[in-house]
Amino acid sequence: MASVTAWRSTARQLPLRLTVGTFFLNAGLSKRGADQATAEGLHQFATTTYPFLGKLDAQQFARLLSTGEIAISAALLLPVVPVAVAGAALTAFSAGTLGLYLRTPGMRREGSLRPTEQGTPLAKDVWMLGIGISLVIEGVTKHR
């Protein structure tokens, strides 16, 4: 009976893990060979909200961002990675992008959480936070 329950849990997670995992893989691979202008744009945007990232040079930041996204995709796509671990990685990353959304001027409409046109690409990442939290909850509660 335990193997049937484990299979159901894995089957239930599969659409979430595949969808978000392939999204992250594409994002990470797209940044892998970022040119100087792209790296500088990514770095400048991130350091506006997270000043400690200014200690990195733009190319180093782009490589680390790319590597992080590829690592998260691997955690999501490889079934040997426990669901709670994959969910925690996704939750942490999406919390960071939502931090950019909440703290960067011009991303939200005045006095509102509603996004501006420029803020929509970051605001939509709230779905990743929801998926990450759901995976963590499933991973934590399925063993009880």
Side-chain angles (χ1 to χ4, degrees):
M1 188 64 167
S3 64
V4 171
T5 303
W7 183 86
R8 285 183 184 156
S9 178
T10 301
R12 192 171 47 248
Q13 299 164 15
L14 192 61
L16 297 175
R17 290 180 80 156
L18 283 175
T19 303
V20 182
T22 55
F23 181 85
F24 263 84
L25 183 59
N26 179 61
L29 292 175
S30 296
K31 290 178 188 79
R32 191 44 133 191
D35 61 26
Q36 187 65 31
T38 301
E40 287 174 359
L42 290 168
H43 187 242
Q44 182 180 15
F45 184 64
T47 57
T48 300
T49 301
Y50 301 113
F52 68 90
L53 294 173
K55 294 177 183 175
L56 305 172
D57 73 30
Q59 285 292 337
Q60 183 183 25
F61 173 76
R63 280 192 303 275
L64 288 171
L65 181 59
S66 170
T67 301
E69 289 174 334
I70 292 169
I72 291 169
S73 73
L76 289 163
L77 294 171
L78 297 174
V80 295
V81 176
V83 66
V85 172
L90 179 59
T91 299
F93 189 92
S94 60
T97 60
L98 289 174
L100 284 170
Y101 170 70
L102 293 172
R103 296 181 189 148
T104 303
M107 295 292 114
R108 293 179 294 123
R109 295 177 190 210
E110 186 78 28
S112 173
L113 287 176
R114 293 180 58 212
T116 60
E117 189 173 321
Q118 296 80 17
T120 298
L122 286 174
K124 69 172 182 47
D125 288 352
V126 71
W127 61 271
M128 291 189 311
L129 181 65
I131 291 170
I133 291 170
S134 294
L135 292 174
V136 169
I137 290 170
E138 182 168 340
V140 170
T141 61
K142 78 177 183 179
H143 297 295
R144 291 181 183 167

